[in-house]
Amino acid sequence: MAKQKPVLNVAFIGHVDAGKSTTIGRLLYDSGAIDPQVLEKLKREAAEKGKAGFEFAYVMDGLKEERERGVTIDIAHKKFETPKYEITIVDCPGHRDFIKNMITGASQADAAILVVDVNDHKTGIQPQTREHMFLARTLGINQIAVAINKMDTVNYSQEAYEAMKKMLSEQLLKILGYNPDNIDFIPVASYHGDNVVKKSDKMPWYNGPTLVEALDKFNPPEKPTNLPLRIPIQDVYSITGVGTVPVGRVETGILKPGDKVIFEPAGVQGEVKSIEMHHEQISQAEPGDNIGFNVRGVSKKDIKRGDVCGHPDNPPTVAEEFTAQIVVLQHPTVITVGYTPVFHAHTAQVACTFTEILKKLNPATGEVIEENPDFIKAGDAAIIKVRPTKPMVIENVKEIPQLGRFAIRDMGMTIAAGMAIDVKAKNK
Amino acid sequence: MEEDKSKELYMFKKTLQELKSKKGKGTELISLYIPAGRRISDVTQYLREELSQSSNIKSKSTRKNVQSAIEVILQRLKLLKDPLEKGVIIFAGMVPRSGPGTEKMETYVLIPPEPIKTFIYRCDSQFYTEPLEEFLEEKDTYGVILIDRSEATIATVKGKNIQIHKRLTSGVPGKFKAGGQSARRLERLIDDAAHQFMVRVGEHATEVFLPLLEKKQLRGILVGGPGNTKNEFVEGDYLHHELKKIVLDTFDLCYTEEFGIRELLSKAEHLLKDLELMKEREVVQRFFKELIKEDGGLAAYGEKEVLEALIMGAVDTLIVSEDINMVRVKIKCNNCEYTEELNIKKDELPKLEEALKEKTCPQCEGALVIEETKDFIEYLSELCEMSGTKLCIVSRETEEGAQISKAFKGLAAILRFKLHQ
Ligand SMILES: Nc1nc2c(ncn2[C@@H]2O[C@H](COP(=O)(O)OP(=O)(O)OP(=O)(O)O)[C@@H](O)[C@H]2O)c(=O)[nH]1
Ligand SMILES: [Mg+2]
């Protein structure tokens, strides 16, 4: 089946309980993608579970555990059409325990909607609001819009909206290098449907776009079809009667049924039988497509989240060691050789050891301040050498930018961001 | 107290390594473990009998060597006094230096860190060191279970070691909905799979932890992971009832792999503070916190700076990596009073010997020789004793230890006051 509209992957990010899932549920409902009867059923289920008010969130929160606790645990995708785009929505969990899943989701996105609770302006920016935005930036998401949610709880007050907008702009977005003037801040009350799809009549002071309109203002993503094929695997299913179905987003290159493929670092090969996107067969997958593809010759046990699929004549690079440029965002002490935090790149997460700190750089200008420093700390930029503790795929950012970026986490926080600028391959 | 233990342990380990490397020509190396409270005269009696028995040994050289080793031990016993509080361990025997004919009598007398329980007399081609190694082995173990819906890790933390025993993946279906399955059926499938997974994790935990519990080595179990699975696991009937009793706490973590254990350790600091691993972490982190201060705080590193501070009595805590592999060498002149001391890598010793042949005494031009070499850590510990400095010997197995070893060449210090402004 031919695709008419360009595909755009949009991640919904933000602190726990900001209303990401609810906003998505509302978006789907008001645009007719969900049957009112289904919503009625969800509403009853939510009430039974003592989670009244979560019916819209239940649209995305499909797991029993998610529904019982009222938190999103793993990412979920839903297709949705706007006048301009075929949008794949990626609902990310906000709870800090599930941040690794959020990173997987954000790594698949072309753009992001940051959802915040308008009441945060009284208490300050929430920690995962901060961390998610930093990760989004790190993972190369340059287009964002902000949904300032739960406007109903402040009587749709313009003041509260402005205060929230100012706080986010000054204390977060500008610091990360975004220009707030180019970002839409949409006051919404997702639970009630204000300014999500339908323009609200309760906020006459706002004349910007609704959330759906804001989505259509995003630019279509580039399609690096001429780069080698790379599909970071998000999950692998084994479906009776079908076989092994890895799912993930095509980052670069083109995949067609009949292609021979290899998964690294697993090193297993197979042949693509068919490709599906949102339960429909397609004849070719391109960058940005979130697909499930049926592979012959590979079992579910062979591959897992974090592996990358490519063509055997140009397989994904398994790094024995790599050189990277990093910026340390926050760290309570110092970073030295021997330090072994977790690196998140595309859908992979692997502990990596710092083996050398080659240069300390001026974060603003990139000029070298010190050769071979003994340590670096928060605020520093540096060129380092890193050795993964187990095999992982990472690419030189100059060759395949989509797979060259990573975030570093330790002690329950994101401490640094970086990109690989040289990779010593194990498999080439 | 602490730092004494750190040094004692280090010296003990060092001797153990040495002992293990010794090999006799025949079965002629003697190992003797005397339990606490055993009367010395009883032992003397025993050895006398062994001595007369040994006249039956066929090989002449072995007979001679065994007999002289027993004689040496008998001499040593005379120096000891009743009662032996912890007992004593004696090794003696003729050990070849290089080729045949270079044998020399070597004797080691060790006071064990814990009382010895059983009497052992052994005559073999090697020293019998297994009981010694048992002394060194940390007995207190904590069990760790990290679990979420999709995977689990079972590990133990003991002394300075984290050991992963088992990694499991669940195969619990994720959120992706397979076509044709009703939501309810899928839910049941997921619930079933999750239950089966927790049963499996429980079985593996029993397999790993129960034997430790029976040996009275398991101090407790910590359970962690993202979300609610860990609570379901602890509250449900998945763990062996004896193990369930010693679950100390559950922890919210982001990860269930090896680095989840790191996350757990920092969150469970208060429960684990008596673990060697945690003490090491604490000291190194304290050093790092000083280092990060704008003016370098009270941190010092590098051989020259640290030694200078140490000699001045300015060091509060000295951190040294056990793999530093250095020696303190004393050089003297054959002719006059001149002496000189320096610290070098152990493997540079032959090079220094060579170099000395070329060099002469700066005072009288006499020949220079090495008078004494001493293990560098031993040397440092003596300096520490003199200035009341705490000594922390870090292992290379821990991440913090590796950082000290690699980034600071194995030597760092937290100062009492700043030396230079
Ligand atoms: N009053 C009010 N409540 C809202 C609104 N939107 C969401 N909520 C409530 O906020 C709570 C959390 O909503 P979710 O959609 O689950 O939040 P989330 O951001 O997806 O949370 P996580 O996925 O767990 O990070 C629910 O109780 C919702 O009913 C709103 O516009 N107004
Ligand atoms: Mg949610």
Side-chain angles (χ1 to χ4, degrees), chain A residues 93-171:
Chain A
H95 193 285
R96 64 184 154 79
D97 282 6
F98 310 118
I99 200 121
K100 62 177 180 187
N101 300 338
M102 176 272 167
I103 297 175
T104 302
S107 76
Q108 301 171 338
D110 307 302
I113 302 291
L114 172 67
V115 182
V116 293
D117 182 336
V118 64
N119 293 289
D120 291 350
H121 83 269
K122 300 170 208 159
T123 50
I125 297 178
Q126 297 283 357
Q128 268 62 52
T129 302
R130 226 176 250 290
E131 187 168 18
H132 283 196
M133 275 315 297
F134 180 75
L135 286 164
R137 191 65 171 167
T138 302
L139 298 165
I141 302 177
N142 298 319
Q143 307 193 67
I144 63 158
V146 180
I148 298 182
N149 190 24
K150 309 199 185 180
M151 287 302 293
D152 55 313
T153 61
V154 293
N155 282 319
Y156 301 95
S157 140
Q158 182 176 6
E159 266 160 67
Y161 164 81
E162 295 292 349
M164 191 63 211
K165 177 175 167 181
K166 182 153 180 276
M167 184 171 82
L168 279 175
S169 303
E170 301 296 326
Q171 296 175 27

Side-chain angles (χ1 to χ4, degrees), chain B residues 53 59 72 115 142 156 180 194 203 247 254 290 387 416 418:
Chain B
Q53 291 251 337
S59 152
V72 165
Y142 288 91
T156 49
E203 284 167 2
V247 171
C254 299
E290 289 301 326
S387 53
R416 293 189 170 120
K418 274 187 86 71

Side-chain angles (χ1 to χ4, degrees), chain B residues 32-51:
Chain B
L32 181 66
Y33 289 73
I34 306 175
R38 179 71 56 100
R39 275 171 42 202
I40 294 167
S41 55
D42 291 353
V43 181
T44 310
Q45 183 65 30
Y46 181 94
L47 287 178
R48 290 246 157 79
E49 270 158 41
E50 282 295 330
L51 193 61

Side-chain angles (χ1 to χ4, degrees), chain A residues 60 64-66 69 74 96-98 237 333-334 336-337 339-340 342 344 349 374-375 377 409-410, chain B residues 149 175-177 191 226-228 252 254-255 259 262 285 288-289 291-292 301 399 403 407-408:
Chain A
M60 299 305 281
K64 189 170 142 210
E65 196 180 348
E66 293 178 322
R69 315 221 128 226
D74 208 350
R96 64 184 154 79
D97 282 6
F98 310 118
Y237 295 88
T333 62
V334 296
T336 74
V337 168
Y339 184 50
T340 310
V342 186
H344 286 264
Q349 34 165 342
D374 296 314
F375 60 89
K377 55 187 179 185
R409 300 190 82 250
D410 185 26
Chain B
R149 275 279 164 130
K175 281 172 94 167
F176 177 84
K177 274 204 195 94
D191 273 356
N228 196 42
D252 289 334
C254 299
Y255 302 102
F259 33 85
R262 271 178 53 80
Q285 290 299 339
F288 285 168
K289 285 207 175 106
L291 196 60
I292 197 182
Y301 61 94
E399 183 176 347
Q403 283 178 277
F408 302 98

Side-chain angles (χ1 to χ4, degrees), chain A residues 14-23 52-54 57 61 70-72 91-95 149-153 188-192:
Chain A
H15 197 73
V16 67
D17 273 352
K20 299 175 289 298
S21 304
T22 302
T23 304
F54 272 89
D61 294 343
V71 291
T72 304
D91 184 19
C92 295
H95 193 285
N149 190 24
K150 309 199 185 180
M151 287 302 293
D152 55 313
T153 61
V188 299
S190 300
Y191 187 67
H192 304 283

Side-chain angles (χ1 to χ4, degrees), chain A residues 221-229 250-254 286-288 401-402:
Chain A
E222 279 175 48
K223 288 203 173 196
T225 47
N226 52 346
L227 290 177
L229 176 72
V250 182
E251 288 293 341
T252 54
I254 291 175
E286 295 169 4
Q402 291 75 6

Side-chain angles (χ1 to χ4, degrees), chain A residues 40-58:
Chain A
E40 203 45 51
K41 236 178 84 191
L42 292 177
K43 191 167 178 169
R44 272 203 307 275
E45 187 185 339
E48 274 165 28
K49 291 200 157 87
K51 288 282 163 195
F54 272 89
E55 58 269 26
F56 288 104
Y58 274 19

